[in-house]
Amino acid sequence: MMISVWVAAAWAVAAALTAGVIVWLAQPEAEQPRRRERRAEYEHPDFADAAGFAVTAYPESDIILRKRVWLIEDEVAELDYTIVPGRSARLRVARQGRMRHPDGFDPHAFESVAQYQIDGVPVTHYQSAGQRGVLTWSRDGFECLLYAEDPEMNMLSGLAVAFVGTVRAEQR
């Protein structure tokens, strides 16, 4: 009698382990954690030596203040801005097909997605209330992405004309 209890227990453990392995194998592969982006800081957004392009025009004013300039992974320009009074935004520019989206950017996770044109340039505006907002557009073989982690209401809409209308990049 005691042997049959042990045999039944062994079968139950084996069945549970088998089921666990099957469930584990059936799960989609987990996304690998992203490694930290390799960045180099520049004084001006001219990356001719490393990336073969420069951001030749970008907005600056009394309320749009450019702070830092980066080259990410030798292919994406990033310009950090302070938006007065006390907000921030980041502009990324890359050759078509080379854009590296910010960590956590999922175009399907936003509450609203709007598409419109500014000066004939198609713009996509991603927004969730009280959360990150993103604008994307392309011009002359370059992709542009403006994002704000904690924008005030309608901040990106207000910045759209200044950024989409001004930002230019060229091959060097």
Side-chain angles (χ1 to χ4, degrees):
M1 181 70 155
M2 189 64 154
I3 292 177
S4 61
V5 170
W6 283 107
V7 170
W11 277 106
V13 169
L17 286 173
T18 302
V21 168
I22 290 171
V23 168
W24 178 72
L25 289 174
Q27 290 179 343
E29 187 174 320
E31 184 176 319
Q32 295 296 320
R34 292 182 71 169
R35 64 178 175 81
R36 186 165 173 84
E37 296 174 325
R38 184 173 40 86
R39 295 170 167 251
E41 188 169 3
Y42 283 69
E43 189 172 330
H44 301 285
D46 187 342
F47 313 103
D49 297 347
F53 75 93
V55 180
T56 56
Y58 45 87
E60 283 190 286
S61 70
D62 292 343
I63 62 168
I64 302 173
L65 308 170
R66 182 176 59 91
K67 291 297 180 187
R68 297 176 84 177
V69 176
W70 302 95
L71 182 62
I72 301 169
E73 299 292 339
D74 292 332
E75 61 186 11
V76 178
E78 183 173 271
L79 285 68
D80 293 348
Y81 283 91
T82 295
I83 310 299
V84 175
R87 297 292 183 190
S88 64
R90 292 182 176 172
L91 170 68
R92 286 190 174 194
V93 179
R95 286 192 181 100
Q96 199 73 37
R98 302 263 177 113
M99 180 58 72
R100 299 176 69 83
H101 293 101
D103 284 344
F105 176 76
D106 176 3
H108 305 293
F110 290 90
E111 292 173 5
S112 69
V113 178
Q115 295 183 325
Y116 47 89
Q117 291 202 3
I118 296 175
D119 295 334
V121 176
V123 176
T124 303
H125 185 155
Y126 303 90
Q127 189 72 55
S128 291
Q131 298 176 17
R132 179 187 301 188
V134 178
L135 298 175
T136 62
W137 70 96
S138 296
R139 176 183 275 131
D140 301 327
F142 287 88
E143 294 178 62
C144 301
L145 183 146
L146 179 68
Y147 70 104
E149 295 291 337
D150 186 20
E152 290 182 3
M153 185 169 37
N154 297 322
M155 183 180 101
L156 282 177
S157 296
L159 294 173
V161 171
F163 278 86
V164 175
T166 304
V167 173
R168 300 287 188 281
E170 64 181 44
Q171 305 277 349
R172 292 275 166 113

